[in-house]
Each structure stands twice: as C-alpha cells, then as structure tokens.
Amino acid sequence: MTNSGEIVDFLNEKASYYEARWFIDEDPVQIPHLFTQKEDIEISGFLTATLAWGQRRMILKACRQLMERMDMAPYDFLMNATDDELKVSDDFVYRTFKNIDANYFLKTLAHIYREKGGLQQVFIDGYGQGGIDKAIIYFRKVFMSLDPPDRTNKHVANILKNASAKRLNMYLRWMVRRDSPVDFGLWKDISMADLLIPLDVHVGRVAQQLGLLSRKQQDFKAVLELTEKLAQFRPEDPVFYDYALFGLGVYEKF
C-alpha cells in the first residue's frame, strides 16, 4: 500500500469484516450483551472494560464472577445492596485487580447511580466541559472521590499523566457508537466524531506499520495522533477503524 487511498480502502474492508455479530462471541463485549436494560449494560460494560486486559478466557471468567455477585442484575443490585452486600469475597482476584479494588468499584458505582444520575450523566457532565478528554478527566475525579485505597487508583486511567486510557476509550466506544452490531449506541449526547481510539499494543503496532502513527509510546499523545489521522479518513466516526487495527493485530498478526 503506497498511498492513503489504498490504506483507507484496506482499513474499510477490514473494519467492516470485524465489526460483525460474530465478533461479540470472541470479545469481552459479550458480557454487556447479556443484558437488555440500559443501566445493566452500562454497569456491566464498565466493569468488563476495566478488566479487559490479558487472556480473554480469564477476563470473561472474572467478569462473570462479578455479574453473579450482583445476581445478574447489576443496576438493581447497586441501587438496593447494603454496604456489606457491596463487598466481594476475599478470594476474588483478576491479575492486579483484587477484592479490595472490586469493593471500591462497586461502592462507587452504587454512589454514582444513587447520587449522580448514573455513568452516562457523569461522562456527559465532563464532556460538556470541552470534549472526550474532559469527560475522562471529570469521570476519574468523580470516581476516585470516595477515598479509594492507594492501590485502586491505577485501575482508572489518568490522562493528565499521559495514560492512553485504552479501557475507558473502549467503554466509550461501546456506549456511544450507533448503528453497530457490536457497540450499543446508548449515549446519544456524545458525538461519535469526538471518540478517541482505544490504543493498545496491537492497535499501536499495526498503526505504526501502516504509517498512521509515528509515536512509539502507547500514551495519550499517541492516542491523539492516531485519532487525528483516522479522522481524516472518517471524520464522523474515526473509531470505526479500531476494529480494523485491532483485528489485524490480534487475529491476523499483521
């Protein structure tokens, strides 16, 4: 591929292939697809995105444990659980995310839905301050406002310290992108045009090989660089190409 037109055609073809129903069965996004109620999808999606690193089989196992802890009804559980019921067992662990982290996440999600209008409202309040980056910053401020354990801070990305925020950007993709067989399109007040690419090692490697990304570090500066480039191809929906870049990296070892 020697010009941008060939690259765009190639990425369009790959993105259309991977953005399909079969992808759900291969991806952690299958967890929020277990639910139909908006709030259940939001909560399960956020917890799933939080744990979405490592082997998919283990991600799904841990996410299902959390869903079962909430009686497979996350919203109802968070709205009605006592403080003791919001705690998970001591043996819950997924990589560096342990029961002490899960306990804080459930407590804070309950607070957000009981007192702050829910996850959508928190992100929209931040988005109104000037875009997706402001939404991510504001969300983190709200989420970490209930005196979290020091160790829990690392599980919510801080873009003010140049973190790529891969999992939060993936979560926003799930919630915002419309007319997709994979993403949910629940949050209409955030524009798809403003979404940022969920940058991980696979996406970054493929983007570099295609000449779409010059920055070597997988950080927020790289997220902005790659998203800006993809927006030249599809300004109304640059994150559409996440499917192509991720699929090429994970499935095709491009």
Side-chain angles (χ1 to χ4, degrees):
M1 288 172 283
T2 58
N3 59 61
S4 60
E6 289 180 351
I7 292 174
V8 173
D9 290 343
F10 177 66
L11 291 177
N12 282 335
E13 177 186 350
K14 293 298 181 180
S16 296
Y17 173 72
Y18 285 108
E19 189 184 16
R21 291 291 305 179
W22 68 263
F23 185 86
I24 296 171
D25 294 333
E26 301 280 338
D27 192 79
V29 76
Q30 68 180 261
I31 297 295
H33 272 283
L34 295 172
F35 302 97
T36 56
Q37 184 176 353
K38 173 181 177 290
E39 292 82 3
D40 286 338
I41 294 169
E42 292 172 347
I43 296 162
S44 63
F46 175 72
L47 290 171
T48 298
T50 298
L51 298 183
W53 87 101
Q55 295 182 6
R56 289 179 172 184
R57 179 177 61 83
M58 300 306 294
I59 294 169
L60 295 172
K61 179 180 177 182
C63 292
R64 285 185 177 274
Q65 282 183 315
L66 283 180
M67 296 307 108
E68 290 167 1
R69 178 69 189 86
M70 295 185 285
D71 303 320
M72 298 302 291
Y75 177 63
D76 182 70
F77 176 82
L78 292 178
M79 293 299 290
N80 297 294
T82 65
D83 289 345
D84 284 340
E85 289 170 339
L86 287 170
K87 296 178 180 177
V88 301
S89 61
D90 291 343
D91 62 355
F92 178 84
V93 59
Y94 175 69
R95 302 189 73 167
T96 62
F97 192 90
K98 300 183 179 180
N99 73 302
I100 189 173
D101 306 308
N103 291 343
Y104 182 81
F105 268 62
L106 295 187
K107 178 183 75 171
T108 305
L109 285 170
H111 171 73
I112 284 173
Y113 276 88
R114 295 174 189 180
E115 307 294 338
K116 299 291 185 180
L119 284 166
Q120 178 181 9
Q121 189 60 55
V122 172
F123 275 102
I124 287 175
D125 287 346
Y127 181 67
Q129 297 175 16
I132 290 293
D133 57 340
K134 297 298 191 295
I136 293 172
I137 291 167
Y138 180 74
F139 167 76
R140 190 180 194 281
K141 179 181 178 181
V142 171
F143 197 84
M144 308 312 285
S145 67
L146 299 183
D147 192 26
D150 288 342
R151 58 162 290 112
T152 304
N153 282 280
K154 65 186 177 185
H155 291 295
V156 181
N158 187 354
I159 64 172
L160 292 175
K161 294 186 176 180
N162 207 24
S164 70
K166 180 258 183 178
R167 286 170 281 172
L168 285 176
N169 282 318
M170 182 177 68
Y171 176 63
L172 287 166
R173 194 202 83 198
W174 290 350
M175 294 300 106
V176 172
R177 288 192 71 254
R178 298 181 292 280
D179 303 319
S180 169
V182 180
D183 302 319
F184 294 92
L186 296 175
W187 296 358
K188 310 296 186 186
D189 294 331
I190 295 177
S191 172
M192 294 192 300
D194 291 335
L195 292 174
L196 300 173
I197 194 76
L199 180 66
D200 65 9
V201 62
H202 308 290
V203 170
R205 186 184 72 250
V206 174
Q208 288 166 4
Q209 290 183 354
L210 290 173
L212 303 175
L213 177 64
S214 61
R215 190 170 178 81
K216 298 296 189 287
Q217 299 93 326
Q218 292 169 21
D219 56 16
F220 195 66
K221 290 179 181 178
V223 169
L224 296 178
E225 179 189 339
L226 180 54
T227 303
E228 182 178 349
K229 185 66 175 181
L230 297 174
Q232 296 175 17
F233 304 155
R234 197 180 183 98
E236 75 283 5
D237 184 20
V239 175
F240 168 72
Y241 294 110
D242 182 38
Y243 287 99
L245 298 173
F246 180 81
L248 284 165
V250 172
Y251 290 96
E252 301 185 41
K253 312 300 180 187
F254 186 86

